[in-house]
Amino acid sequence: MRNAIIADEVDVHFQPIVNLKTDMVVGFEALARWCDPDLGYVSPAVFVPLAEERGFIDSLSETLLRKAAETALLWPKELFLSFNLSSAQLMDPMTSTNVLSIIQRAGLDPRRLELEITETAVMTDADVAQKIVTELRAAGVRISLDDFGTGQSSLGRLRDFSFDKVKVDRAFVSRISADRASEHIVKAIIAMCDGLNLEVVAEGIEDFSEALKLKGLGCGMGQGYFYGKPADSVTTLRYLAEKYQEAGPALSVAV
Ligand code: G
Ligand code: MN
């Protein structure tokens, strides 16, 4: 893994996040990909905890964020980049300084960056996490609460912690057409976020009926295989060029 970072084998893929009302792309989530020449494809669920444990999550994250930010510079300016922070990073008081200096070096406006954090990560050291989040938000970075509804969900966290966006876990979205309970839970999350002035993204939308149901519930944004699978930066640029061509010649993307 250490060598992979040095050899530049770790790559970033991008998955579109769309406005459910207009079906327009509003941003992309960066997802880490590692294809080892001997091991083949290694899942981030395996290598991120490994990097945390062995103490090189910082260099891994720096490589990924730098690559993601450089790619985001090629997109239309109104699109945001969403990047996952690991739990170890949310315990490290240097994280905000590190993140801001990486995107500054890359030339990406902090207002185009969103950082995804999980409730479990926030829980480990709530004071440090709060401080990191406050510093980042002061610089214009937005914060989303990832995988909402699973793990150690606490509604108190939504009250006491400052976020901008909630990402509803795909465990609820994938069953929204099948069971009433999931539909009611998603409906309640959307209503709550409305009242709290938080944006909502439904994760893991896989088919048209799920998309339709979420639109009906007034969910603002969506993400999932139905709208696009994670793809490399070249494919992502091609996708944007097509989308923007459909939207009219006034908008263009250089490929
Ligand atoms: O924890 P987080 O929500 O960041 O996880 C994102 C993961 O979910 C990625 O590995 C991505 O490939 C996967 N993913 C994204 N969209 C879908 C989807 O529609 N269905 C399924 N099963 N997985 C998805
Ligand atoms: Mn995420």
Side-chain angles (χ1 to χ4, degrees), residues 191-245:
M192 180 184 67
C193 289
D194 249 0
L196 293 173
N197 250 331
L198 294 167
E199 294 189 293
V200 190
V201 184
E203 297 184 301
I205 303 177
E206 291 187 352
D207 59 45
F208 179 66
S209 72
E210 289 166 1
L212 206 61
K213 194 143 238 173
L214 288 156
K215 283 177 206 224
L217 293 175
C219 184
M221 281 171 260
Q223 178 180 358
Y225 296 165
F226 177 65
Y227 290 104
K229 292 195 168 171
D232 63 32
S233 55
V234 174
T235 311
T236 299
L237 277 175
R238 220 179 290 132
Y239 168 91
L240 278 174
E242 278 166 24
K243 284 272 166 205
Y244 274 72
Q245 212 150 35

Side-chain angles (χ1 to χ4, degrees), residues 2 6 25 42 51 68 78 84 108 150 159 176 192 205 207:
R2 219 184 289 271
I6 297 163
V25 187
V42 186
E78 64 272 24
N84 294 281
L108 185 76
T150 59
R159 187 190 55 197
I176 200 168
M192 180 184 67
I205 303 177
D207 59 45

Side-chain angles (χ1 to χ4, degrees), residues 29 84 116 146 167 203:
E29 176 174 357
N84 294 281
E116 302 191 8
D146 204 2
K167 297 189 82 174
E203 297 184 301

Side-chain angles (χ1 to χ4, degrees), residues 34 39 47 52-53 60 72-73 75 104 115 138 156 158 169 171 188 197 219 227 237 240 243:
W34 178 29
L39 301 172
F47 70 74
E52 288 185 332
E53 197 183 293
L60 173 66
L73 289 181
W75 307 338
Q104 197 199 2
L115 293 171
L158 286 182
D169 196 86
N197 250 331
C219 184
Y227 290 104
L237 277 175
L240 278 174
K243 284 272 166 205

